Amino acid sequence: MSVLACLGLCAVTGALGFTFARGRPGRGELAGEPTYLALHIAGLAAPSLRGGLNGNSARKAVRHLRTLLGTSALAITSAERVLARDGDGVPDDDRVLTEVRVVMMGGRPHVVAGEPSAVLVPLTVEGRMIGTLAVYDAEVSAVLVRTATEVGRWVSGQLELAELDTSRRRMLEAEMRALRAQISPHFVYNSLTTIASFVRTDPERARELLLDFADFTRYALRRVRDFTTLADELSCVDRYLLLERARFGDRMRFTVQVAPEVLRVPVPFLCLQPLVENAIKHGMPGEVRVVIKDAGPEAHILVEDDGIGMDPEHVRAVLGEDGTAGIGLSNVDLRMRHIYGHDYGLVVDSAPGEGTRIRLRVPKCHSAHNAS
């Protein structure tokens, strides 16, 4: 069990003394029995909550949570619907959701007087409110409010661990896809075919392109978990473009503008080349531009083209690529969010006939950096 889970359970068992013991232990009752019962019931609810907040996990956990609180009824909700309920006295969904909206707007526990009385506690993950724990009883005392709040915090902790598990699993899947397809098979085939076409007509050009291909593959076959610098990423992009320019000739136009101050900024390995590859794939014929600016604590990267553009459905499909045609935008997006947080994913703006713009922000300093 994680430290977070243990600390959460300690808080819950401390707050639940009123439910299981209202004084000294009775005859035949062990001094630690209330604590044991609270830990046992919380342990029964935890596995379901570690599946995240959904209908299935809520239905499995709701009965245990109501037993833990000792109230007449309890409901678990998302921001939009009632996921599960247990006991007698939970109002209809419309009434529950009316109170849920109050909690979601206020961000704090909300007490409802009436028949039945209730206290609704927000459930949060990484500071985001994702639902509520709605506790119903004949009356709401200050003790019940405190206890429901502590249980809500513990449930939020379990949901946060579930989010962490999901993030870790997606990251591992992204790394495996990247390892399987660090270089597009089509790119390898096209590059070698292009090099072969120069062997007789321009042997020196063929030799230079072959060396560029060797340098690109050497860089791309490094460990996917490595960090590098923007300067190295740009060198990789340069070799990639030399090979593509040999293939497309004058049909491919490309410009790069880079603030010198950001060249040594540490970045995740192969975070830039896939963006350029996407711009060429979806922007030809046309001009591809890379602009990297110094933005104080961050480096801002823009990769854009003036090609035919993409409709929103196609953008979603591109972001959902499985990596079989290269690293894939979805792979870069997942890695950036995992390393830096949800605010640092790719931002893709595109529309038919208006080209495509991909924006990426990279913090200059981060504890996970281990630039090579």
Side-chain angles (χ1 to χ4, degrees), residues 61 89-90 116 122 133 155 172 298 336 351:
V90 178
L133 191 69
V155 171
L172 290 174
E298 298 177 340
M336 295 299 294

Side-chain angles (χ1 to χ4, degrees), residues 227 266-268 335-342 344 362-363 366 369:
F227 274 80
V267 294
R335 291 166 62 207
M336 295 299 294
R337 292 177 189 273
H338 178 81
I339 294 168
Y340 301 113
H342 290 291
Y344 286 90
V362 181
H366 190 270
H369 287 167

Side-chain angles (χ1 to χ4, degrees), residues 2-3 19 30 43 63 74-75 128 139 152-153 161 175 179 227 269 283 305 330 332 335 372:
S2 70
V3 173
T19 302
L30 298 176
R63 177 170 58 87
L74 185 142
R128 296 177 290 110
E139 62 179 71
R153 288 175 181 167
L161 289 171
E175 289 178 351
L179 287 170
F227 274 80
F269 169 65
D305 64 74
S330 64
V332 176
R335 291 166 62 207
S372 57

Side-chain angles (χ1 to χ4, degrees), residues 19 24 26 28 52 60 86 97 101 113 123 155 159 162 183 194 220-221 235 239 248 261 275-276 318 337 358:
T19 302
R24 295 180 181 274
K60 291 179 178 179
D86 187 68
L97 292 175
R101 284 189 284 272
L123 301 177
V155 171
L159 297 175
I183 304 177
T194 300
L221 292 176
S235 294
R239 289 179 174 85
F248 289 111
E261 297 84 356
L275 310 188
V276 175
V318 170
R337 292 177 189 273
I358 302 176

Side-chain angles (χ1 to χ4, degrees), residues 42-324:
L44 292 174
S48 301
L49 296 171
R50 289 293 294 272
L53 187 63
N54 54 62
N56 185 50
S57 64
R59 284 190 295 272
K60 291 179 178 179
V62 66
R63 177 170 58 87
H64 301 303
L65 294 176
R66 185 172 77 86
T67 302
L68 193 63
L69 284 162
T71 55
S72 60
L74 185 142
I76 301 173
T77 82
S78 67
E80 298 85 18
R81 65 189 183 96
V82 177
L83 299 174
R85 58 178 67 209
D86 187 68
D88 298 325
V90 178
D92 62 73
D93 286 5
D94 289 340
R95 181 176 165 187
V96 174
L97 292 175
T98 297
E99 303 301 337
V100 167
R101 284 189 284 272
V102 174
V103 176
M104 300 297 286
M105 291 178 61
R108 62 183 63 185
H110 173 61
V111 176
V112 180
E115 289 292 336
S117 297
V119 55
L120 286 83
V121 178
L123 301 177
T124 62
V125 172
E126 295 184 349
R128 296 177 290 110
M129 285 185 291
I130 62 171
T132 68
L133 191 69
V135 181
Y136 296 88
D137 214 348
E139 62 179 71
V140 175
S141 64
V143 175
L144 179 57
V145 173
R146 290 199 301 269
T147 305
T149 300
E150 289 299 332
V151 172
R153 288 175 181 167
W154 177 76
V155 171
S156 294
Q158 298 302 308
L159 297 175
E160 192 148 332
L161 289 171
E163 183 88 356
L164 184 62
D165 290 342
T166 300
S167 176
R168 185 184 296 113
R169 184 174 63 253
R170 287 175 177 171
M171 181 61 182
L172 290 174
E173 290 172 354
E175 289 178 351
M176 289 304 297
R177 289 198 300 268
L179 287 170
R180 286 197 301 266
Q182 284 183 329
I183 304 177
S184 164
H186 297 291
F187 171 71
V188 172
Y189 174 80
N190 292 331
S191 295
L192 292 177
T193 301
T194 300
I195 292 170
S197 70
F198 287 104
V199 168
R200 289 192 177 183
T201 59
D202 194 343
E204 184 61 25
R205 179 82 184 280
R207 176 180 177 277
E208 291 174 355
L209 290 173
L210 193 59
L211 292 174
D212 289 329
F213 180 76
D215 286 340
F216 175 82
T217 54
R218 185 182 299 113
Y219 181 85
L221 292 176
R222 291 169 52 182
R223 290 186 307 155
V224 74
R225 288 189 178 186
D226 283 350
F227 274 80
T228 184
T229 64
L230 269 174
D232 286 343
E233 283 287 290
L234 286 165
S235 294
C236 172
V237 167
D238 183 59
R239 289 179 174 85
Y240 172 80
L241 289 172
L242 286 172
L243 293 163
E244 291 291 76
R245 190 175 289 119
R247 174 186 170 198
F248 289 111
D250 294 337
R251 287 185 297 161
M252 194 181 85
R253 291 171 288 136
F254 197 91
T255 59
V256 179
Q257 299 176 18
V258 183
E261 297 84 356
V262 301
L263 289 175
R264 294 187 61 81
V265 171
V267 294
F269 169 65
L270 277 184
C271 69
L272 182 57
Q273 185 271 338
L275 310 188
V276 175
E277 181 177 346
N278 178 80
I280 292 174
K281 178 180 178 181
H282 298 283
M284 292 289 291
E287 181 179 359
V288 175
R289 294 175 291 278
V290 174
V291 180
I292 306 179
K293 296 181 179 180
D294 183 6
E298 298 177 340
H300 288 183
I301 300 171
L302 171 67
V303 178
E304 62 178 345
D305 64 74
D306 55 5
I308 59 175
M310 300 178 282
D311 60 39
E313 286 297 324
H314 193 66
V315 170
R316 282 191 284 271
V318 170
L319 285 174
E321 285 178 351
D322 63 4
T324 55

